[in-house]
Amino acid sequence: MPPIRLALLGLVLLQAAAVADELLPAPTGPHKPGRTSFHWQDDARDELETAAPLDKRELMVHLYYPADPAATGERAPYVPDADEMQGPWKPDQIERIKSMRAHSLENAALPTGNEKYPVVIFAPGGGMKGTTYNTLVEDLASHGWIVAAIDPPYNARGVRLPDGRVLGKLTPEERGWPEPKSPEEFRRFYRERIEHWSRDMSFVIDQLTVLNKNDSRFAGRLDLARGVGAVGHSRGGQAAGTVRILDERIRGGVNIDGVAEVYGFQPVKGEEESGRAPFLWIQKSLPPPPTEEQLQRIGRTRAEYEAEIARILGVWDKKLGAIEGGALRVYLDRPGIEHIDFSDEPFWDGRMTDEKRPGNLQTVADMRAWVRAFFDGTIRGEWEELKKLAAEPGSPREHVTVYTFGQMWPSQ
């Protein structure tokens, strides 16, 4: 290729990278975020996703944290194993993602000194990658949190391990959970998978405890004594809500738009057990009532539909009201909001328009504010911002509706 064409090609690639860098909203906190990654295997736990009897559970975990303000170096690849997502992601999306960089500096040092940082565990939605939620996890890191974002194997199309293996799509014969043959079997398999993911979160806390003792980069810098937060989107949100019941080290759980029939968390200890730790359930607005034509199509009358909605809401209220540490259900009622808007995907999937971007940015800002305020209260003991958000859901947050259950913060 002639030199001038090479130069032009290089210019085009640089311009594409510059545009890609600006796709994601930047973190809002005072800290520059850093990121490093770990491959951990739980030798004590079988891999339930596969039928192979000797498989053990393996995770890729991306650790986001406050970086030293003097740190320099390369920004981390946005999704290091983007090539493994061929199929779910289109070729143009993969190329765009490969050109993107996280706001985090790869392998940057923590700030000098002895300051300890509180910890949150994050789990993605079904089919998603842990790194496709940078808008949330990097923002937490920029506000002084250490966030362990899990890439669960056999969830997204592919998770590449440091040794080159790719854990991803399984044939029907290789799956640990076969195709369900009934609604009851579907519910059982789903519950078992959510519990499996909840155990992932507990295992990551175990590994972070070891890291806090033995890793020269992080030794003594993780504030695990005050407990740990759990947050996730969709299926990961169900896991974050459920692990509160299974692991007393979890001091608060956030489910971001993870709705499974009548459940915001799975009844892994029985239908009456809702757990002690506080719970925040962020949801997109409820869908509008169906038309008469839609009701006919599903074979229901309007009275039957309204009775079913009332039943579901009643179960939600009962389960949230039974949480000892209190609960909040927060609807983000922005017109046009979608389930995927709680991830980074709208910013890089190629469908973002100038008209849509302000709404998506508002969803991200609301999600960040609620999650950060919830953990500031439940982990740090700093309740003022959460109390303010819960008490003043109106302007400028006119598209937010809040329901409270029990007493989450101290009365004085």
Side-chain angles (χ1 to χ4, degrees):
M1 185 179 291
I4 190 168
R5 291 188 62 189
L6 281 171
L8 288 172
L9 177 60
L11 179 61
V12 168
L13 291 174
L14 285 172
Q15 290 173 335
V19 171
D21 282 347
E22 298 171 359
L23 290 178
L24 299 181
T28 61
H31 297 278
K32 184 186 304 183
R35 190 181 89 190
T36 193
S37 301
F38 297 92
H39 167 226
W40 288 327
Q41 178 170 308
D42 188 351
D43 292 326
R45 191 157 54 109
D46 292 337
E47 175 53 90
L48 303 183
E49 294 280 358
T50 71
L54 298 181
D55 281 358
K56 297 299 180 182
R57 186 65 164 168
E58 297 181 73
L59 302 176
M60 281 301 298
V61 177
H62 304 283
L63 202 64
Y64 298 79
Y65 52 89
D68 191 297
T72 59
E74 295 292 327
R75 288 168 60 176
Y78 173 55
V79 178
D81 50 356
D83 281 325
E84 312 305 340
M85 293 297 289
Q86 297 281 352
W89 293 351
K90 298 175 183 177
D92 63 309
Q93 292 175 333
I94 290 177
E95 290 308 309
R96 186 179 302 118
I97 288 167
K98 287 168 65 175
S99 73
M100 292 170 64
R101 290 293 177 269
H103 291 97
S104 304
L105 297 182
E106 190 160 30
N107 297 318
L110 273 76
T112 56
N114 298 314
E115 183 176 357
K116 294 185 176 183
Y117 301 99
V119 176
V120 167
I121 314 296
F122 175 83
M128 301 289 284
K129 306 280 290 177
T131 47
T132 56
Y133 292 85
N134 273 18
T135 49
L136 175 60
V137 296
E138 285 191 325
D139 191 66
L140 281 170
S142 77
H143 285 273
W145 292 85
I146 290 179
V147 186
I150 300 172
D151 239 349
Y154 312 107
N155 175 48
R157 178 62 176 263
V159 173
R160 189 169 62 229
L161 305 183
D163 62 7
R165 286 179 298 138
V166 177
L167 305 183
K169 188 174 176 62
L170 297 168
T171 65
E173 296 75 24
E174 293 172 322
R175 293 175 191 154
W177 282 288
E179 286 297 317
K181 297 181 176 61
S182 67
E184 292 74 20
E185 198 168 59
F186 175 86
R187 294 185 190 99
R188 178 167 64 84
F189 290 170
Y190 182 83
R191 187 168 298 171
E192 289 172 355
R193 181 172 276 114
I194 295 302
E195 184 169 353
H196 197 42
W197 279 33
S198 298
R199 303 292 182 191
D200 287 345
M201 290 183 154
S202 292
F203 171 65
V204 168
I205 298 174
D206 295 340
Q207 295 302 108
L208 293 177
T209 302
V210 174
L211 201 74
N212 198 39
K213 293 178 180 178
N214 300 329
D215 190 298
S216 59
R217 297 168 296 172
F218 296 98
R221 307 302 299 275
L222 282 69
D223 187 357
L224 297 166
R226 286 192 286 186
V228 175
V231 58
H233 174 229
S234 195
R235 184 187 295 171
Q238 286 276 325
T242 302
V243 73
R244 304 164 30 260
I245 302 172
L246 297 170
D247 193 329
E248 292 185 353
R249 295 173 296 182
I250 299 295
R251 299 295 173 83
V254 182
N255 177 349
I256 302 174
D257 211 37
V259 181
E261 296 181 330
V262 298
Y263 299 110
F265 45 84
Q266 293 297 302
V268 289
K269 288 190 175 181
E271 292 289 343
E272 302 304 316
E273 178 58 68
S274 291
R276 294 183 186 178
F279 180 58
L280 169 63
W281 196 0
I282 300 173
Q283 298 181 28
K284 63 180 177 59
S285 52
L286 290 174
T291 64
E292 292 301 323
E293 181 182 348
Q294 290 169 329
L295 286 169
Q296 290 177 7
R297 199 156 50 235
I298 63 176
R300 287 193 177 184
T301 66
R302 187 162 300 280
E304 289 172 335
Y305 168 80
E306 291 175 351
E308 177 65 9
I309 293 300
R311 182 187 74 84
I312 292 172
L313 292 175
V315 174
W316 288 358
D317 290 352
K318 180 180 178 182
K319 289 185 177 295
L320 297 186
I323 297 173
E324 293 181 35
L328 293 165
R329 187 168 76 241
V330 177
Y331 286 116
L332 302 187
D333 298 325
R334 177 177 64 81
I337 190 172
E338 297 181 17
H339 181 66
I340 203 66
D341 291 350
F342 297 105
S343 75
D344 299 347
E345 187 166 324
F347 295 98
W348 52 251
D349 71 0
R351 295 182 295 168
M352 180 71 75
T353 64
D354 291 341
E355 292 75 20
K356 289 182 177 180
R357 189 172 176 86
N360 283 97
L361 290 172
Q362 186 60 55
T363 297
V364 167
D366 287 338
M367 174 180 64
R368 286 171 163 179
W370 278 98
V371 171
R372 190 169 67 248
F374 177 81
F375 287 134
D376 278 346
T378 57
I379 309 298
R380 285 176 163 159
E382 301 169 3
W383 294 100
E384 289 308 309
E385 187 60 28
L386 186 62
K387 290 166 66 175
K388 180 179 177 182
L389 288 174
E392 302 176 8
S395 181
R397 297 178 297 280
E398 64 271 18
H399 297 304
V400 179
T401 305
V402 182
Y403 298 90
T404 61
F405 302 85
Q407 182 65 44
M408 188 175 293
W409 43 80
S411 55
Q412 296 299 327

